[in-house]
């Protein structure tokens, strides 16, 4: 379950109060002894508007390196959607809690706090959340037990089918990535002025935020990257060998 924490230390007027408050919040929740200023320098903003900001950070936690996301709200400030930061805070927290109850994909809330002017939610990937909660998780590392070994002919057939499916999905993913980049470019050329003139970052939608957090998890596409590295390295070796044979 999500934990609720009380107010942290006061913010210096010379600092970004939202960012500094988020750093204080992270330190209190995760028991980090580093100074808030140090943590604040590691927070990477991925969304910022008049009454809400989203930051990501990589930390060495009790379960190893992990990616976290901090949702920060100015509670009394009203944004372009007409809602106050407090309303967005409550809505965001309810959405994360419902996702956890239904075991749907997406970030998991680790802790939340209201500290006077601000509200904060700390979230992470489902895998990291389960690890922090002490829940066991089956490894997705490749490998087979001896009794699962199959004949060479059957193995070649399975590898061929999987290679074709992987090729199809990579082509589709690349097409989706191209479409997304085009949509981002169109959005960046929009003549709609930034609210308050402070949103100079790529503003993520909720779906994009979920995707970003997934990619920040070291294990999210680990097997895919290993497969691609193996394919590229092997192809390069075959090419080099073919060139040597032609000499």
């Amino acid at each position: 379950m999500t934990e609720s924490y009380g107010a942290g230390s006061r913010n210096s007027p010379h600092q970004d109060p939202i960012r500094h408050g988020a750093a204080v919040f992270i330190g209190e929740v995760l028991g980090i002894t580093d100074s808030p200023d140090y943590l604040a320098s590691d927070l990477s903003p991925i969304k910022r508007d008049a009454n809400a900001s989203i930051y990501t950070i990589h930390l060495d936690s009790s379960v190893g390196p992990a990616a976290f996301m901090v949702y920060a709200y100015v509670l009394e400030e009203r944004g372009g959607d007409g809602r106050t930061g407090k309303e967005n805070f409550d809505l965001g927290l309810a959405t994360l809690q419902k996702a956890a109850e239904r075991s749907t994909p997406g970030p998991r809330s680790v802790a939340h706090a209201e500290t006077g002017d601000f509200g904060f939610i700390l979230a992470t990937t489902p895998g990291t959340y389960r690890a922090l909660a002490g829940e066991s998780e089956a490894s997705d590392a490749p490998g087979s037990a001896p009794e699962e070994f199959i004949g060479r002919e059957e193995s070649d057939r399975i590898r061929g089918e999987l290679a074709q499916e992987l090729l199809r999905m990579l082509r589709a993913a690349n097409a989706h990535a191209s479409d997304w980049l085009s949509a981002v470019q169109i959005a960046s050329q929009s003549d709609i002025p930034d609210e308050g003139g402070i949103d100079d970052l790529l503003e993520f939608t909720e779906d994009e935020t979920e995707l970003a957090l997934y990619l920040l998890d070291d294990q999210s596409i680990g097997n895919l990257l290993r497969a691609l590295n193996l394919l590229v390295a092997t192809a390069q070796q075959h090419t080099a060998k073919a060139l040597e044979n032609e000499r």
Side-chain angles (χ1 to χ4, degrees), residues 65-125:
F68 293 91
M69 184 173 292
V70 186
Y71 300 81
Y73 304 88
V74 184
L75 297 177
E76 299 302 321
E77 188 76 24
R78 194 171 296 276
D81 58 2
R83 291 195 292 260
T84 64
K86 169 62 174 173
E87 291 171 331
N88 284 328
F89 171 81
D90 291 339
L91 178 61
L93 184 59
T95 300
L96 290 171
Q97 290 175 338
K98 184 176 295 184
E101 292 170 0
R102 297 179 177 178
S103 297
T104 57
R108 295 291 184 263
S109 174
V110 177
H112 66 277
E114 293 183 51
T115 61
D117 294 334
F118 307 115
F120 302 102
I121 301 173
L122 181 65
T124 189
T125 62

Side-chain angles (χ1 to χ4, degrees), residues 133-236:
E135 300 176 13
S136 60
E137 185 170 12
S139 173
D140 63 351
S144 299
E147 62 270 21
E148 294 176 337
F149 288 144
I150 56 179
R152 176 63 180 271
E153 183 176 342
E154 180 67 6
S155 174
D156 288 347
R157 183 188 66 79
I158 293 174
R159 286 171 54 185
E161 291 177 354
L162 292 175
Q164 285 298 313
E165 181 65 10
L166 182 58
L167 176 60
R168 183 190 67 79
M169 297 183 73
L170 284 173
R171 284 173 171 165
N174 190 64
H176 286 313
S178 297
D179 292 342
W180 182 80
L181 288 172
S182 296
V184 168
Q185 185 175 19
I186 292 172
S188 67
Q189 295 172 349
S190 171
D191 58 359
I192 300 176
D194 294 335
E195 183 176 326
I198 63 173
D199 192 359
D200 54 354
L201 301 169
L202 172 62
E203 182 173 340
F204 280 177
T205 65
E206 290 187 10
D207 292 326
E208 289 168 336
T209 299
E210 180 179 330
L211 174 60
L213 184 58
Y214 177 74
L215 293 176
L216 285 170
D217 187 342
D218 291 338
Q219 300 302 316
S220 61
I221 56 173
N223 284 339
L224 174 60
L225 294 177
R226 283 189 285 272
L228 294 179
N229 286 335
L230 176 60
L231 286 165
V232 171
T234 304
Q236 290 173 337

Side-chain angles (χ1 to χ4, degrees), residues 34-55:
D34 293 326
S35 71
D37 289 341
Y38 179 82
L39 286 176
S41 66
D42 282 342
L43 286 171
S44 300
I46 60 174
K47 178 180 179 180
R48 184 173 58 192
D49 55 31
N51 67 351
S53 299
I54 301 176
Y55 303 94

